[in-house]
Amino acid sequence: MSTPFDAPQQSGSTQTRLNSVPTEGGGGGGGGGTNVDTQRLDEAANALVELRGDTENVDNGADDDCLSASRGLNKHSAGGMAEAGSWATAGSLVTMDVRWGSQVINLKSLLQDISDKLHTTSGHYTSTEQEEQARQRSISTPFG
């Protein structure tokens, strides 16, 4: 299964290149410029949003399973109602479910934050490239 983090694909990939300077010849500085594939940044951000949704689904399943197991344990305890929580293990399952839910909330928040930052970074690179191209076009030379 391929992810946006795998090696770059050549077909259909748009690349943003800061400073618009060709890598061969020209200019003082070091080697080539900075290459940023904004499409891949956006793909990675979208993959994280999808992962966030999958995390929600897994959390809901874990909640259901823990509560069902807790009820099942209590159903077979001596005395009292099944939901009365007479087995310590049943109560521990509920405690772990609450902890799990807290961790899922934290993970979803991190995934959303990283996704937002990837989208913002992609937008900044695109904007910077467009501004640099406009600046390059506006430079007049005596050669026309």
Side-chain angles (χ1 to χ4, degrees), residues 118-139:
L118 285 171
H119 278 300
T120 299
T121 299
S122 173
H124 282 246
Y125 276 115
T126 300
S127 174
T128 299
E129 179 64 17
Q130 290 169 350
E131 290 169 10
E132 181 60 23
Q133 288 174 354
R135 188 184 73 78
Q136 293 286 331
R137 283 190 299 272
S138 72
I139 297 174

Side-chain angles (χ1 to χ4, degrees), residues 12-61:
S13 177
T14 39
Q15 297 233 344
T16 299
R17 190 164 189 304
L18 294 180
N19 298 329
S20 301
V21 178
T23 55
E24 52 274 6
T34 301
N35 289 321
V36 176
D37 187 343
T38 55
Q39 179 180 355
R40 292 190 49 86
L41 286 175
D42 288 335
E43 288 171 0
N46 293 337
L48 291 173
V49 169
E50 187 176 327
L51 180 60
R52 186 176 186 270
D54 292 344
T55 303
E56 178 86 25
N57 294 336
V58 168
D59 179 42
N60 291 340

